[in-house]
Amino acid sequence: NNTNLIVGINPGASYGSSKQWVPDRFAQVAIQLSQKYDIVIFGGKNELNISKEIEELLIKKGIENYKNLVGTTSITELINNISSLDLFITGDSGPMHIAASFQIPTISIFGPTKDKETSQWNNHNSVIVKRDLECQPCMKRICPLGHHNCMNQIKTNDILKAVESLRL
């Protein structure tokens, strides 16, 4: 079935673990979207473990309409792949900004960083998902309080609701 839309998920965060959302929640979101979207997993070589974890969860649920491109694309290929997406779900990352330059509908998940400063520039079809905790934004690579609530309190459903709110 080639009529599916394409959703890209970008689970990694090169800045540090504090910017990373929970891999199995990325997988749950992908599973929920898999009827309507083919799934493409993006990331660099240092995100191979996370992508394998997500891939295993997809396989467990019998999801076959996915591609794992983590660690395999050049910058040019990454840009080309992102430019053809119908939806992008990502942390605060370089690929998030690539998506903005193509006006790809995007859900950006923010934890410890300043969404006012680093969110997508000029992409009107984007939604930031974050918590408003007293400890945010701490700008630390690892949660100094040890609980990582800024990311852990973001649930699968928060992302799915954000997807519904986009003009797709």
Side-chain angles (χ1 to χ4, degrees):
N1 173 358
N2 293 332
T3 58
N4 274 7
L5 298 165
I6 304 169
V7 59
I9 64 169
N10 183 48
S14 54
Y15 173 76
S17 64
S18 67
K19 271 170 70 166
Q20 204 167 293
W21 195 45
V22 193
D24 85 70
R25 291 186 199 161
F26 265 111
Q28 297 309 321
V29 167
I31 290 161
Q32 292 295 314
L33 295 174
S34 67
Q35 304 214 319
K36 188 175 171 189
Y37 293 89
D38 288 333
I39 299 145
V40 182
I41 309 169
F42 293 100
K45 287 186 172 56
N46 52 350
E47 279 120 36
L48 283 167
N49 288 348
I50 309 167
S51 71
K52 281 279 175 264
E53 209 176 307
I54 292 169
E55 198 174 330
E56 280 162 20
L57 291 162
L58 295 180
I59 292 165
K60 228 182 243 168
K61 288 284 184 197
I63 309 292
E64 293 176 350
N65 57 324
Y66 76 88
K67 269 192 278 207
N68 184 349
L69 299 181
V70 174
T72 64
T73 56
S74 67
I75 294 290
T76 308
E77 291 166 329
L78 178 71
I79 292 168
N80 289 339
N81 281 310
I82 289 175
S83 72
S84 65
L85 295 174
D86 297 292
L87 172 64
F88 192 45
I89 302 172
T90 179
D92 174 15
S93 63
M96 175 186 79
H97 297 290
I98 295 170
S101 69
F102 291 103
Q103 300 288 300
I104 305 299
T106 300
I107 309 294
S108 303
I109 305 167
F110 273 79
T113 51
K114 298 175 182 166
D115 59 287
K116 302 272 184 296
E117 286 179 19
T118 60
S119 63
Q120 289 193 324
W121 186 73
N122 243 345
N123 185 355
H124 301 298
N125 211 2
S126 68
V127 176
I128 289 169
V129 177
K130 68 177 183 117
R131 289 286 160 263
D132 284 307
L133 305 177
E134 284 178 17
C135 53
Q136 278 177 286
C138 72
M139 303 304 288
K140 301 282 190 262
R141 289 175 186 273
I142 292 167
C143 175
L145 301 175
H147 55 51
H148 206 207
N149 284 347
C150 64
M151 284 304 199
N152 288 334
Q153 288 183 9
I154 296 173
K155 303 295 183 219
T156 305
N157 227 18
D158 298 324
I159 305 304
L160 295 170
K161 279 191 191 126
V163 170
E164 281 168 30
S165 76
L166 283 172
R167 297 178 300 280
L168 298 173

